Amino acid sequence: MKLPRPHRHDALIALTGLVGGLAFWALGLQMNPVDERPLTGAWVLLPLGVMAGAELLRRTWPQTALLTGAAALVADQFTQGNLVTIVMFTDVVYAAVLYGTPAAARRIPVGCGLVTVTATIGLLAWFRRPEALILGVVTGLVSLAPALTGVLVRNHRDAAEAARLRAEQTKLLAEVDRTQAVVAERARMARELHDMVAGHLSAIAIHSTAALSIGDPKTGHEALSVIRENSVEGLAEMRRLIGLLRDSGGADPATASPAAAAPSLAAVDALIEQAEAHGAPSGLRFALHDARDGRDGRDGQGPLPAPVELAAYRIVQESLTNALKHASPGRVTVTLTQDARRLTVLVTSPYEGEGGAHGPRAPGSGAGLVGMRERAALLAGRFESGPTTAAGGGKIWQVRAELPVDELPVDGGKRSS
């Protein structure tokens, strides 16, 4: 098997240890007395060279390096001994814990602790002198101390890596949240823009068609007046939306200008009047039945939350716009009811079906129903629309929205009181 290429730092450590050991040997610095060791002279260089080779594997093959270093340390005890060999062994133990597997990092300190205790007890029993405890301390410094140091460094490194991963995950989640916030804001802007402008543009399209198809100058003049009125109102609504987008958000709503104030259900009467004027040429009549207690939503219950008022107003506005585009001649009815828990908006209009004689008076994109459904969903309410049968017979198109008024949703539709 081909051994992996040593890390350049490991090669530098091995070379430095080998050169240092040779210098100690050349200077005659030895650890053990000559007369008490069977191998003398240059034999001390053999464990030194093996230990230097183990240093080459300290990062790539840490467990092999530890076993090789342990064998070299034992062999060094049969020679005059070299301090550099012992120092390099401590580094091999440290590296085995730091770069080894998690299982090895747990087992090596335990093994070194057992070796230290066993060596201390054995030497004390062999020599029967208190000085033997010093040898036990030396054994602990050579084996157990570097192992424990490796554990501390490894734990610190793992904690730093975990913190880095958490930081990256937090950054990724923040980016996802930012993207979702941008998408949600774009959807909100699209709903507001559609609801504010679609009614005026539909009226312009209907009356311009009437002006082109009728040759009466008086009727054409009236149609052009309505077109101009809706153009001005549409521009005013656009300016209001742009003003809201440019607002830094620090203004007090109580002191906000009328152009920037959000519409409320108090303005539904004006919507009905506008729809009545626009729908007269098409045979449409409009009626409002406000069955709420006190007509203002208070009557001991407190005012309606601003998001509920805005959503209800926009749903009525878009329903009237759709009726002007698609409803058959007849009565369009807006009914508002409220109890302690919910506000109900019901809009009905005559409907002949897809094959009816009266086609759409102005083109539609289908975004209106989507926007109304989204507004109800954002408040954890219910929305449904579609054809149904009226109580007295005949088909009608019904839009029904139930908006909670006792509690508002948080965190994407979860409700909390």
Side-chain angles (χ1 to χ4, degrees):
M1 180 184 297
K2 184 178 179 180
L3 295 177
R5 185 175 180 180
H7 193 275
R8 59 188 183 90
H9 291 166
D10 297 343
L12 181 60
I13 292 173
L15 179 61
T16 302
L18 182 61
V19 172
L22 290 174
F24 271 54
W25 174 71
L27 294 174
L29 300 175
Q30 56 190 19
M31 297 288 295
N32 305 319
V34 177
D35 54 352
E36 296 182 4
R37 294 297 182 267
L39 301 175
T40 59
W43 282 102
V44 73
L45 298 180
L46 179 60
L48 176 66
V50 174
M51 191 68 74
E55 288 279 33
L56 292 174
L57 305 177
R58 63 189 294 275
R59 196 186 305 258
T60 53
W61 281 20
Q63 292 176 271
T64 301
L66 178 60
L67 295 176
T68 304
L73 182 65
V74 172
D76 188 64
Q77 303 309 307
F78 293 93
T79 67
Q80 294 175 340
N82 195 308
L83 178 61
V84 177
T85 301
I86 298 175
V87 172
M88 284 195 292
F89 176 75
T90 62
D91 179 68
V92 169
V93 175
Y94 165 81
V97 175
L98 182 61
Y99 301 115
T101 62
R106 293 190 300 268
R107 294 170 184 169
I108 290 175
V110 176
C112 290
L114 293 176
V115 168
T116 300
V117 173
T118 302
T120 302
I121 296 175
L123 291 172
L124 186 61
W126 178 266
F127 292 106
R128 297 181 180 277
R129 296 175 59 183
E131 289 80 0
L133 294 175
I134 298 177
L135 296 177
V137 172
V138 172
T139 304
L141 292 175
V142 171
S143 59
L144 182 59
L148 294 178
T149 304
V151 170
L152 293 176
V153 175
R154 182 179 183 123
N155 289 340
H156 178 74
R157 185 188 66 178
D158 292 345
E161 180 65 16
R164 185 187 66 81
L165 292 177
R166 284 195 299 270
E168 291 182 354
Q169 292 174 354
T170 302
K171 181 180 178 181
L172 180 61
L173 291 175
E175 180 64 22
V176 171
D177 290 343
R178 188 193 68 81
T179 302
Q180 292 177 347
V182 170
V183 172
E185 182 64 14
R186 291 180 64 180
R188 186 187 70 83
M189 292 169 57
R191 285 194 302 270
E192 289 294 323
L193 182 61
H194 177 274
D195 293 346
M196 287 193 304
V197 180
H200 298 298
L201 294 182
S202 298
I204 291 173
I206 293 171
H207 284 274
S208 61
T209 302
L212 292 174
S213 59
I214 300 176
D216 185 5
K218 182 179 179 182
T219 304
H221 183 271
E222 292 177 354
L224 291 176
S225 299
V226 174
I227 290 173
R228 182 186 183 281
E229 177 184 350
N230 280 273
S231 300
V232 173
E233 292 179 359
L235 288 174
E237 294 281 6
M238 286 287 291
R239 293 191 188 99
R240 189 183 74 82
L241 177 59
I242 293 173
L244 289 175
L245 294 177
R246 288 179 175 176
D247 186 13
S248 61
D252 185 358
T255 61
S257 62
S264 65
L265 289 178
V268 171
D269 291 330
L271 288 179
I272 296 296
E273 293 177 1
Q274 291 178 1
E276 186 75 28
H278 300 331
S282 305
L284 293 174
R285 301 183 306 279
F286 294 82
L288 170 65
H289 298 291
D290 193 343
R292 295 177 297 155
D293 294 336
R295 290 274 305 199
D296 57 1
R298 294 176 175 83
D299 195 31
Q301 300 179 10
L304 286 173
V308 175
E309 287 234 30
L310 177 60
Y313 177 90
R314 291 304 186 195
I315 289 173
V316 172
Q317 183 183 41
E318 181 58 28
S319 299
L320 295 178
T321 299
N322 287 342
L324 288 172
K325 292 180 182 179
H326 306 287
S328 303
R331 179 177 292 275
V332 179
T333 304
V334 178
T335 304
L336 302 177
T337 58
Q338 180 186 345
D339 56 27
R341 301 191 60 184
R342 66 179 61 85
L343 170 70
T344 303
V345 178
L346 178 64
V347 182
T348 59
S349 57
Y351 179 70
E352 294 182 354
E354 298 295 336
H358 298 83
R361 302 176 185 85
S365 63
L369 293 177
V370 174
M372 289 189 284
R373 184 173 288 106
E374 289 177 347
R375 288 186 182 278
L378 287 174
L379 297 174
R382 297 177 55 190
F383 176 83
E384 56 185 22
S385 65
T388 186
T389 302
K395 278 191 173 184
I396 59 172
W397 183 274
Q398 176 178 282
V399 173
R400 181 183 181 87
E402 295 181 0
L403 307 177
V405 298
D406 59 334
E407 50 188 20
L408 290 178
V410 295
D411 296 337
K414 298 180 182 178
R415 301 176 67 183
S416 64
S417 57

